[in-house]
Coordinates of all heavy atoms in Angstrom, one line a residue:
M16 N 17.6 -83.0 3.5 CA 18.9 -83.3 4.0 C 19.0 -83.0 5.5 O 19.6 -83.8 6.3 CB 20.0 -82.4 3.3 CG 20.3 -82.8 1.9 SD 21.1 -84.4 1.8 CE 22.7 -84.1 2.6
G17 N 18.3 -82.0 6.0 CA 18.3 -81.7 7.4 C 17.7 -82.9 8.3 O 18.3 -83.2 9.3
R18 N 16.7 -83.6 7.8 CA 16.2 -84.8 8.5 C 17.3 -85.9 8.6 O 17.4 -86.5 9.7 CB 15.0 -85.3 7.8 CG 13.8 -84.4 7.9 CD 12.5 -85.1 7.5 NE 12.5 -85.5 6.1 CZ 12.0 -84.9 5.1 NH1 11.5 -83.6 5.3 NH2 12.0 -85.4 3.9
E19 N 18.0 -86.1 7.6 CA 19.1 -87.1 7.6 C 20.2 -86.7 8.6 O 20.7 -87.5 9.3 CB 19.7 -87.3 6.2 CG 18.8 -87.9 5.2 CD 18.3 -89.3 5.6 OE1 19.1 -90.0 6.3 OE2 17.2 -89.7 5.2
V20 N 20.5 -85.4 8.7 CA 21.5 -84.9 9.7 C 21.0 -85.1 11.1 O 21.8 -85.6 11.9 CB 21.8 -83.4 9.4 CG1 22.8 -82.9 10.5 CG2 22.4 -83.2 8.0
V21 N 19.7 -84.8 11.3 CA 19.2 -85.0 12.7 C 19.3 -86.5 13.1 O 19.7 -86.8 14.2 CB 17.7 -84.5 12.7 CG1 17.0 -85.0 14.0 CG2 17.6 -83.0 12.6
K22 N 18.9 -87.4 12.2 CA 19.0 -88.8 12.4 C 20.5 -89.2 12.8 O 20.7 -89.9 13.7 CB 18.6 -89.6 11.2 CG 17.1 -89.6 10.9 CD 16.8 -90.4 9.7 CE 15.3 -90.3 9.2 NZ 15.1 -91.0 8.0
M23 N 21.4 -88.7 12.0 CA 22.8 -89.1 12.2 C 23.3 -88.6 13.5 O 24.0 -89.3 14.2 CB 23.6 -88.5 11.0 CG 25.1 -88.8 11.1 SD 26.0 -87.5 12.1 CE 25.9 -86.1 10.9
V24 N 22.9 -87.4 13.9 CA 23.4 -86.8 15.2 C 22.8 -87.6 16.3 O 23.5 -87.9 17.3 CB 23.0 -85.3 15.3 CG1 23.4 -84.8 16.6 CG2 23.8 -84.5 14.2
L25 N 21.5 -87.9 16.3 CA 20.9 -88.6 17.3 C 21.4 -90.0 17.5 O 21.4 -90.6 18.6 CB 19.3 -88.7 17.1 CG 18.6 -87.3 17.2 CD1 17.1 -87.5 16.8 CD2 18.7 -86.8 18.7
E26 N 21.9 -90.6 16.4 CA 22.4 -92.0 16.5 C 23.9 -92.1 16.9 O 24.4 -93.2 17.1 CB 22.2 -92.7 15.1 CG 20.7 -92.9 14.8 CD 20.5 -93.3 13.4 OE1 21.5 -93.4 12.6 OE2 19.3 -93.6 13.0
D27 N 24.6 -90.9 17.0 CA 26.0 -90.9 17.3 C 26.2 -90.5 18.8 O 25.8 -89.4 19.1 CB 26.8 -90.0 16.4 CG 28.3 -90.1 16.5 OD1 28.8 -90.4 17.7 OD2 29.0 -89.8 15.5
E28 N 26.7 -91.4 19.6 CA 26.8 -91.1 21.0 C 27.8 -90.1 21.3 O 27.9 -89.6 22.5 CB 27.2 -92.4 21.8 CG 26.1 -93.5 21.7 CD 26.5 -94.7 22.5 OE1 27.6 -94.8 23.0 OE2 25.6 -95.6 22.6

Side-chain angles (χ1 to χ4, degrees):
M16 285 295 291
R18 292 195 297 267
E19 294 296 333
V20 176
V21 169
K22 290 178 186 177
M23 179 270 292
V24 172
L25 290 174
E26 292 170 357
D27 189 329
E28 294 182 354

